[in-house]
Amino acid sequence: MNVREFGVQLFDRWTAMWNLELHPKEIMAPEFVLRYAQAGTEAFDDVRHADGLATIVAGWHESHPGLRFFAEGEAVVDLRMVEGAVTGLVARPYKATFGEVSKSGVDVLAVSEGLITEVWSVSGARTFYG
């Protein structure tokens, strides 16, 4: 298995999840941590399971009609095989658009046993979340 390709595809699936194209349980560990370093993202602080994340993502789409997420730029992939499972980090810039609003940031995905265990998301767009 090419771990770089796995990391790029995992980030693409993370983006697809944000576009309501797959359920979080397909890519998230049974329990995970979300760390969103922006004002207005407090709802993410207590989410630890896939169903809760699915609810929040659906809510974002309800409150932001036409919302779409896109991976941008090159992914930084620092993954390795540990006892037959992919483990490490994937980081990539993203862009979110709705209407004429366009915001960008960087998501860093911590991966263990091939699933996302922790996410750090940093956006320069305070108004996007607040």
Side-chain angles (χ1 to χ4, degrees):
M1 171 186 295
N2 178 324
V3 293
R4 175 166 176 67
E5 183 177 312
F6 178 90
V8 170
Q9 289 177 1
L10 182 62
F11 198 96
D12 288 344
R13 295 181 79 208
W14 166 253
T15 303
M17 181 205 69
W18 276 97
N19 289 322
L20 300 175
E21 297 167 5
L22 63 88
H23 193 280
K25 68 177 93 179
E26 295 182 45
I27 58 171
M28 304 301 292
E31 188 166 333
F32 52 82
V33 176
L34 303 174
R35 302 185 188 279
Y36 281 70
Q38 293 93 221
T41 60
E42 294 78 16
F44 294 96
D45 292 347
D46 297 324
V47 175
R48 298 287 184 265
H49 302 97
D51 289 337
L53 182 54
T55 299
I56 286 185
V57 171
W60 276 100
H61 283 271
E62 288 173 18
S63 64
H64 297 84
L67 178 62
R68 291 293 296 169
F69 289 86
F70 305 91
E72 289 197 311
E74 289 294 317
V76 176
V77 179
D78 183 17
L79 296 172
R80 63 197 174 289
M81 296 297 286
V82 176
E83 297 180 11
V86 179
T87 300
L89 299 170
V90 178
R92 192 168 190 184
Y94 70 86
K95 179 169 69 172
T97 62
F98 58 99
E100 294 188 25
V101 176
S102 180
K103 305 295 180 179
S104 62
V106 175
D107 284 347
V108 180
L109 314 177
V111 180
S112 181
E113 298 181 3
L115 297 171
I116 299 169
T117 58
E118 185 172 3
V119 176
W120 284 84
S121 184
V122 181
S123 169
R126 290 176 81 68
T127 59
F128 182 70
Y129 297 100

